[in-house]
Amino acid sequence: MPTLEEAKTSVIDLAKKFGWGTKKEHVATKIYYAMIELGEAGDAWKHRGDKEWLKRELNVTSEEELAKHITEEFIDTIFYCLNGIYCLNPNIDVDQEFEKKRKINLQRGRTYVGDNE
């Protein structure tokens, strides 16, 4: 399984191949597209009880297909986030930053309303 840093390299290879943008001026687009992908995941989740809508709009006919669809949208979001990080600064070590942020969250020990529902 790739590390986040390896995944970033893989995404940037795709970005360069398909011209997705790898410069600082592309950061806003990456943020926007990541938000769209999360919105698509949220829309699918919002309609999870409407089998007709899921079939008509997403061609989803089972809970397993819905889970796979939402997972794909999450992965698309990660692609855009990794691409955006590269656009900010290609030398940022995503693994190191992830671990640093994980430790910060661990020290906070914070839980928000709804997290445990």
Side-chain angles (χ1 to χ4, degrees):
M1 175 167 32
T3 66
L4 287 171
E5 191 61 27
E6 291 167 341
K8 182 182 79 173
T9 299
S10 203
V11 167
I12 296 312
D13 288 346
L14 289 172
K16 289 176 179 176
K17 179 177 181 172
F18 294 112
W20 292 347
T22 58
K23 295 186 168 76
K24 194 168 275 188
E25 60 265 19
H26 299 123
V27 172
T29 301
K30 304 311 168 190
I31 293 168
Y32 177 66
Y33 286 173
M35 290 168 42
I36 290 170
E37 298 299 340
L38 280 176
E40 290 175 359
D43 204 32
W45 182 252
K46 178 178 75 175
H47 289 93
R48 69 189 179 279
D50 186 344
K51 294 185 186 309
E52 290 177 24
W53 188 92
L54 291 171
K55 173 65 175 156
R56 181 180 68 248
E57 299 297 323
L58 305 177
N59 199 32
V60 165
T61 59
S62 70
E63 284 188 30
E64 183 178 335
E65 287 178 2
L66 178 60
K68 286 181 180 180
H69 176 82
I70 292 171
T71 298
E72 185 175 316
E73 301 302 344
F74 282 150
I75 298 297
D76 285 342
T77 302
I78 294 167
F79 271 48
Y80 284 117
C81 290
L82 291 172
N83 196 173
I85 291 168
Y86 181 91
C87 292
L88 282 170
N89 180 343
N91 299 316
I92 290 174
D93 184 316
V94 185
D95 295 326
Q96 185 177 34
E97 294 302 317
F98 180 91
E99 185 58 20
K100 186 166 78 176
K101 182 61 178 173
R102 188 192 69 79
K103 287 178 181 177
I104 289 169
N105 287 345
L106 182 63
Q107 288 177 337
R108 286 183 183 152
R110 192 179 293 163
T111 301
Y112 297 103
V113 174
D115 280 351
N116 295 322
E117 294 177 6

